[in-house]
Amino acid sequence: MRVLLFLIICQCAIKSVKTHSTSNPNVILLMADDLGIGDLGCYGNRTLRTSNIDRIAEEGVTLTQHIAASPLCTPSRAAFLTGRYPIRSGMAAFSRVGVFLFSASSGGLPSEEITFTKLLKQRGYATALIGKWHLGMNCESSNDFCHHPLSHGFDYFYGLTVTNFRDCKPGQGSVFLKGVQKTLVIPVQIAGITLVSLAIVQYIGLLKIIQQPLSYENLTQRLTKEAMQFISRNSDAPFLLVLSYLHVHTALYASKNFRGKSKHGLYGDAVEEMDWSVGQILDVLEKYNLSDKTLVYFTSDQGAHVEEISSSGEVHGGYNGIYKGGKSTNWEGGIRVPGLLRWPGVIQAGAYIDEPTSNMDIFPTVVKLAEAQLPSDRVIDGHDLMPLLQGKVTRSKHEFLFHYCNAYLNAVRWHPGNSESVWKVFFFTPNFSPENSNGCYDSHVCFCHGDFIKQHDPPLLFDLSRDPEEKVPLTPETESRFYEILRVIDLAVDNHTRSLHAVPDQLSWDNLLWKPWLQPCCSSFLQSCYCDYDSEGSLLEVHSG
């Protein structure tokens, strides 16, 4: 009897330990910028050295149909943080410009939106964002911080409130002059304004601009050092770290230890430097015995920007593998992104999951792991990934995924529960320029309406399970269920549309334009807002390859 009682007690203790180990883990979310799914070894690349990112795949799960909620930075990141399509928060543009261009714009992620950082902070997590934000800053004054990371649940912020532009690095050409000159009726001094707008901002209880304009010198080491120090400071309590790289958005840069070392020019150098940084993060987790207590996720905000060609003719965009198109399009190359998750002892190691998943799924996944409550007053479009990651289920909960081009419903993906097929319909497609190319090279990005697109009636239909390259549209002659599939998708669109509610347009022209009274400035406009408090101090020792 005593032996039986002892065994029962031991079994209960084991179950208790297992339950405890899968709740309140540390969470590290690593997000690249404009990285192509074909740029990583774990997705088939054989020439770029990405051993540290590949290590996440080897020790965790590789999602092979991981979908960004938008093919552009700002709306994709809004969806990632909120678990909701960006159309629900007003973070999807009706104008041609679908992202924020200035730190002195008045639009941004609304304060009414609930981010997973807010919910984890309420559960006692230390929270930090290091790197790129790109979801707004101020509303009415230069210090109200209504859209700033500190208003969305982050305790600590070190990074850029906007993004990295070619215009901000001498000799790299202009995004504005090539892509926006046809639509913006503002002076070309816009590029100079961007120089002023870009700054490294640090938040530790108060906001301090520590470098303006941004210096690319050792930037990745600085971001990595901040991330490692945050982990070190919080090694004894649960933490959430979002490390949002500037790599590999243009203007490209790499420190001297990586410059000229890859087989793919400056782009490859940048990818390999980012991989080094990921290795530093994994190493510091081992140093503090945190690997088994930490969920690590790696992704990109959207696919590679295939139109990125430097002023000297060097390819500065990434590789989307077999997939068509790239950033700013809902062809698979624009939205199928890396999705790697590692949590030793909890999720499967070395597994591949070919079910449709979304970057919106991170929201419910980490919220449930932190034992926080999902919001009940709004639609959450993401689904908890843990049952898939642990092999408890084999099917994704995403029967439908809706693909928006800015605020316009562009395509729909349907994965029927009783089929291996993944149907995808396009209501319109971008007009590539030149015509037989793989992108919109004449305008630098593809746009979402007017003469920039071609409408399809009936919609184009593909089966991604048989044609992942989206080469051959199906017809009533080649697919007997053609009209039945369109009917089911039409019903899904109708249901989805009824779930939407009117919200303020955060990317309206008024919210996009530069407003001088909102401009953060660390000195004065007479001094060109110049300061540099970040060039001093030690940097991490780095070794490439």
Side-chain angles (χ1 to χ4, degrees), residues 324-402:
K324 186 174 182 176
K327 175 178 178 176
S328 79
T329 82
N330 281 303
W331 294 111
E332 289 296 284
I335 55 176
R336 193 180 289 223
V337 294
L340 307 173
L341 295 106
R342 186 195 81 164
W343 187 0
V346 178
I347 64 176
Q348 308 169 76
Y352 290 83
I353 295 174
D354 192 31
E355 289 287 296
T357 58
S358 168
N359 63 351
M360 296 183 293
D361 295 338
I362 297 304
F363 181 99
T365 302
V366 301
V367 167
K368 287 186 178 181
L369 287 173
E371 299 182 332
Q373 292 295 315
L374 288 171
S376 59
D377 63 341
R378 63 198 63 204
V379 175
I380 301 297
D381 297 297
H383 295 291
D384 183 9
L385 287 171
M386 288 305 293
L388 266 179
L389 300 176
Q390 294 182 295
K392 294 178 179 178
V393 301
T394 59
R395 302 287 295 198
S396 166
K397 287 188 177 181
H398 286 292
E399 183 179 2
F400 298 96
L401 281 169
F402 302 93

Side-chain angles (χ1 to χ4, degrees), residues 14-27 125 292-295 343-347 365-371 384 386 390 392:
I14 290 169
K15 287 183 177 179
S16 174
V17 169
K18 187 174 180 183
T19 300
H20 177 73
S21 68
T22 56
S23 61
N24 297 300
N26 304 312
V27 178
Y125 275 67
D292 294 348
K293 303 174 185 176
T294 306
L295 174 67
W343 187 0
V346 178
I347 64 176
T365 302
V366 301
V367 167
K368 287 186 178 181
L369 287 173
E371 299 182 332
D384 183 9
M386 288 305 293
Q390 294 182 295
K392 294 178 179 178

Side-chain angles (χ1 to χ4, degrees), residues 51-65:
S51 59
N52 294 300
I53 297 170
D54 298 344
R55 180 180 155 197
I56 300 175
E58 292 163 7
E59 299 173 359
V61 170
T62 300
L63 304 175
T64 61
Q65 199 178 161

Side-chain angles (χ1 to χ4, degrees), residues 193-320:
I193 293 169
T194 309
L195 281 169
V196 174
S197 299
L198 271 173
I200 291 183
V201 178
Q202 187 175 35
Y203 172 72
I204 328 175
L206 52 85
L207 185 74
K208 179 182 179 184
I209 298 175
I210 58 176
Q211 190 176 74
Q212 191 175 13
L214 163 72
S215 168
Y216 291 94
E217 186 67 27
N218 295 318
L219 180 56
T220 300
Q221 289 102 299
R222 284 182 276 157
L223 298 176
T224 305
K225 179 181 177 182
E226 289 289 332
M228 294 172 68
Q229 289 177 341
F230 174 79
I231 294 170
S232 174
R233 291 195 303 269
N234 295 283
S235 58
D236 294 328
F239 64 81
L240 164 70
L241 168 64
V242 179
L243 177 50
S244 178
Y245 291 102
L246 276 69
H247 286 319
V248 280
H249 197 293
T250 54
L252 294 177
Y253 66 93
S255 63
K256 64 180 181 180
N257 292 68
F258 295 89
R259 202 175 301 130
K261 301 294 178 64
S262 78
K263 295 181 180 179
H264 290 281
L266 187 54
Y267 183 88
D269 300 343
V271 171
E272 293 185 0
E273 183 171 36
M274 178 173 61
D275 181 75
W276 163 83
S277 173
V278 171
Q280 296 294 301
I281 300 304
L282 298 180
D283 288 348
V284 80
L285 290 178
E286 288 188 0
K287 175 182 177 181
Y288 291 104
N289 298 313
L290 295 174
S291 295
D292 294 348
K293 303 174 185 176
T294 306
L295 174 67
V296 176
Y297 168 71
F298 180 90
T299 193
S300 178
D301 55 357
Q302 66 265 325
H305 193 172
V306 297
E307 296 94 345
E308 277 290 5
I309 308 293
S310 76
S311 53
S312 62
E314 182 180 353
V315 175
H316 278 189
Y319 177 53
N320 292 317

Side-chain angles (χ1 to χ4, degrees), residues 25 112 182 192 260 265 350 409 422 459:
E112 297 81 14
K182 298 177 183 178
L409 185 59
V422 180

Side-chain angles (χ1 to χ4, degrees), residues 121-168:
K121 183 175 181 179
Q122 291 170 5
R123 292 287 301 158
Y125 275 67
T127 58
L129 170 64
I130 294 171
K132 172 177 169 175
W133 173 238
H134 210 182
L135 294 173
M137 188 166 179
N138 296 308
C139 289
E140 297 179 357
S141 69
S142 62
N143 60 358
D144 63 35
F145 310 138
C146 64
H147 302 307
H148 192 277
L150 65 91
S151 297
H152 286 288
F154 289 102
D155 300 318
Y156 182 82
F157 173 57
Y158 176 96
L160 280 76
T161 55
V162 199
T163 189
N164 179 21
F165 286 119
R166 276 202 279 158
D167 302 71
C168 306

